[in-house]
């Protein structure tokens, strides 16, 4: 059980890192070489999509081994990531002229991405706390049972 939660958290953490890496405004400095910047954005979007699929596949495959409240919180968290993964697949480099995102559409795209990133990060912290509390309860209960067992 602890191993399953540990593995789930590793995948959520990798997804969080990848989410922070996808193209967004106000993030990293742009590379002076547009081709390098474009390649970086494309790779970052692919990595995010991959991590999203890995986390969702694991959570779905282990759903019965994950406590219900943690599974539900994970599902809610992954919905945010899956929405962005769909956008990352559609617009892997939203700064590229070929993406078609210009003017108000571009502004709206990046505003929503920023909101989703903040919401995802916040919910991931809540999930981490839930997981830690669950593990602590389980460890405490196991210790209490051992202490009260007749010897």
């Amino acid at each position: 059980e602890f191993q399953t939660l540990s593995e789930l958290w590793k995948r959520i953490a990798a997804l969080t890192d990848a989410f922070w890496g996808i193209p967004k405004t106000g993030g990293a400095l742009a590379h002076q070489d547009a081709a390098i910047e474009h390649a970086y954005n494309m790779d970052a979007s692919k990595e995010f999509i991959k991590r999203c699929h890995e986390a969702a596949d694991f959570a779905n495959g282990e759903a019965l081994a994950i406590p219900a409240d943690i599974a539900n919180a994970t599902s809610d968290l992954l919905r945010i990531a899956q929405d962005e993964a769909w956008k990352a697949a559609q617009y892997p480099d939203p700064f590229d002229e070929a993406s078609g995102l210009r003017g108000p559409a571009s502004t709206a795209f990046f505003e929503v991405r920023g909101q989703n990133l903040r919401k995802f990060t916040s919910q991931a912290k809540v999930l981490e706390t839930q997981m830690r509390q669950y593990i602590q309860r389980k460890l405490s209960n196991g210790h209490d049972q051992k202490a009260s067992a007749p010897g």
Side-chain angles (χ1 to χ4, degrees):
E1 185 173 36
F2 295 136
Q3 184 66 29
T4 300
L5 291 178
S6 176
E7 186 61 34
L8 175 61
W9 184 252
K10 286 178 189 175
R11 291 171 192 260
I12 296 294
L15 176 58
T16 301
D17 288 345
F19 204 152
W20 278 96
I22 58 176
K24 59 191 166 302
T25 58
L29 297 174
H31 197 279
Q32 291 187 358
D33 184 324
I36 291 173
E37 182 69 17
H38 177 70
Y40 174 82
N41 288 340
M42 299 293 284
D43 289 345
S45 290
K46 286 178 192 171
E47 180 69 10
F48 173 68
I49 293 165
K50 174 184 161 193
R51 296 298 181 181
C52 187
H53 287 304
E54 289 173 351
D57 288 348
F58 184 83
N60 290 333
E62 297 293 331
L64 295 178
I66 299 170
D69 60 333
I70 293 173
N72 290 338
T74 300
S75 179
D76 291 344
L77 183 67
L78 291 175
R79 267 192 224 97
I80 298 166
Q82 289 166 331
D83 180 54
E84 280 302 320
W86 179 82
K87 293 174 191 171
Q90 191 174 13
Y91 305 107
D93 183 0
F95 294 110
D96 187 6
E97 295 265 331
S99 73
L101 290 174
R102 292 183 193 80
S106 176
T107 301
F109 176 88
F110 286 113
E111 282 177 7
V112 170
R113 177 162 280 179
Q115 290 168 0
N116 283 340
L117 180 56
R118 287 186 296 279
K119 186 176 179 183
F120 181 89
T121 301
S122 175
Q123 284 187 226
K125 288 178 184 176
V126 170
L127 177 61
E128 180 183 18
T129 299
Q130 262 184 296
M131 292 171 96
R132 287 183 187 282
Q133 289 172 345
Y134 177 82
I135 290 169
Q136 284 303 117
R137 278 193 313 271
K138 283 296 211 178
L139 290 174
S140 293
N141 289 342
H143 185 281
D144 291 345
Q145 289 172 357
K146 288 178 186 173
S148 64

